[in-house]
Amino acid sequence: MRTVRFEDETGYARRGEWTDDGIVANGNTYDPAEANVLPPSEPTKIVCQAGGYMDHREESGFDDRPERPELFLKTPNCVVAHGDAIELPPGRESVEFEAEFGIVISEQCRAVSEADAMEYVEGFTCVNDISNRDDQEQERNWVRGKAFDASCPIGPVVATPDEVPDDAALTLRLNGETKQETTREHMIFSVPELVADVSELITLEPGDVIATGTPFGPDELAPGDTVEVEFDGVGTLENHVIAR
């Protein structure tokens, strides 16, 4: 199942299933093109993995495999939905896209084992970890570089794990041109490993997202760009870029 949150024509927030025929909710079918799609969950936090694929680690100057996931946070102010604008922060010259897929948590959990991790996974969604390199390169904690407003598009749906193959492809297109491409098989750490590691010290709440890292090829965005993140089984997250 692919679950979507949306506002109907009256502005009422609903939850439905995104099917080939449209969005089905409470016995009615809505045209996705006419619905205002909302973020598929309302996370209290987005826990992000830095360097989730070796090819991106290598292009960033690291050739070693990390012993554990390297983590940072994005906050709720970062979240925007499918169809919303990515806002480039003022005065910054290098703001880049990063295609990722996100693990959406189903219920509160802490200290989850790898063996039990999937019991706490509602499903998967697309994530674009927009990164302000100007500030990221100048600070240790990456708050300005990663947690600025409208820097984390997620969506358009949460797809249950059975919808997403083990070799699911992750692709990013900028103005129709493919810029990033990999498969889930190339992740350094698996989904259960990530859930177990994050939850060791951090209580995860329903709707929280673990962003799993980006592959080779992040590049700069400019006003007027259209950027799409596609993940097999989930669909395509599309956003346009504006200057704030």
Side-chain angles (χ1 to χ4, degrees):
M1 178 179 290
R2 298 192 305 153
T3 302
V4 60
R5 295 176 61 246
F6 69 102
E7 289 181 347
D8 63 19
E9 64 278 2
T10 69
Y12 187 80
R14 297 182 179 272
R15 184 181 297 270
E17 180 181 359
W18 195 315
T19 72
D20 292 340
D21 297 323
I23 297 173
V24 179
N26 300 321
N28 297 313
T29 301
Y30 300 86
D31 183 350
E34 297 180 1
N36 179 28
V37 176
L38 303 172
S41 71
E42 298 179 276
T44 67
K45 54 191 167 294
I46 304 98
V47 184
C48 304
Q49 177 181 200
Y53 297 81
M54 279 306 303
D55 58 1
H56 179 52
R57 287 185 61 82
E58 289 166 358
E59 74 170 330
S60 301
F62 304 97
D63 57 8
D64 60 320
R65 187 185 189 280
E67 294 184 4
R68 64 180 185 178
E70 298 172 354
L71 305 176
F72 62 93
L73 291 173
K74 282 180 175 276
T75 41
N77 63 292
C78 303
V79 175
V80 292
H82 170 73
D84 287 346
I86 296 166
E87 299 179 359
L88 302 182
R92 274 59 176 185
E93 296 182 356
S94 181
V95 180
E96 297 187 342
F97 56 73
E98 291 191 10
E100 309 191 11
F101 78 89
I103 305 163
V104 183
I105 299 301
S106 60
E107 59 183 286
Q108 187 185 78
C109 60
R110 186 178 177 204
V112 174
S113 69
E114 289 182 31
D116 295 335
M118 293 306 297
E119 296 180 16
Y120 299 92
V121 174
E122 179 181 353
F124 304 111
T125 193
C126 297
V127 175
N128 196 344
D129 172 21
I130 306 302
S131 301
N132 157 24
R133 305 300 190 201
D134 290 32
D135 287 309
Q136 185 181 355
E137 293 174 358
Q138 296 182 41
E139 60 185 14
R140 296 175 59 187
N141 56 24
W142 294 1
V143 172
R144 296 178 186 85
K146 292 285 192 176
F148 56 96
D149 289 350
S151 64
C152 192
I154 61 174
V157 304
V158 177
T160 50
D162 60 289
E163 296 276 356
V164 180
D166 292 340
D167 61 350
L170 176 67
T171 305
L172 183 140
R173 293 180 294 273
L174 181 65
N175 302 323
E177 180 182 354
T178 298
K179 293 288 190 176
Q180 291 185 283
E181 197 166 21
T182 191
T183 68
R184 180 177 164 185
E185 297 170 301
H186 290 98
M187 294 171 59
I188 296 173
F189 298 101
S190 69
V191 169
E193 286 174 319
L194 287 170
V195 174
D197 184 89
V198 172
S199 69
E200 180 185 8
L201 297 176
I202 299 172
T203 299
L204 294 169
E205 302 290 347
D208 282 355
V209 175
I210 300 174
T212 56
T214 198
F216 176 89
D219 206 349
E220 291 184 1
L221 294 167
D225 283 344
T226 297
V227 59
E228 301 168 278
V229 177
E230 182 175 0
F231 190 51
D232 285 350
V234 173
T236 302
L237 168 68
E238 180 177 326
N239 300 90
H240 58 286
V241 181
I242 63 174
R244 192 191 316 162

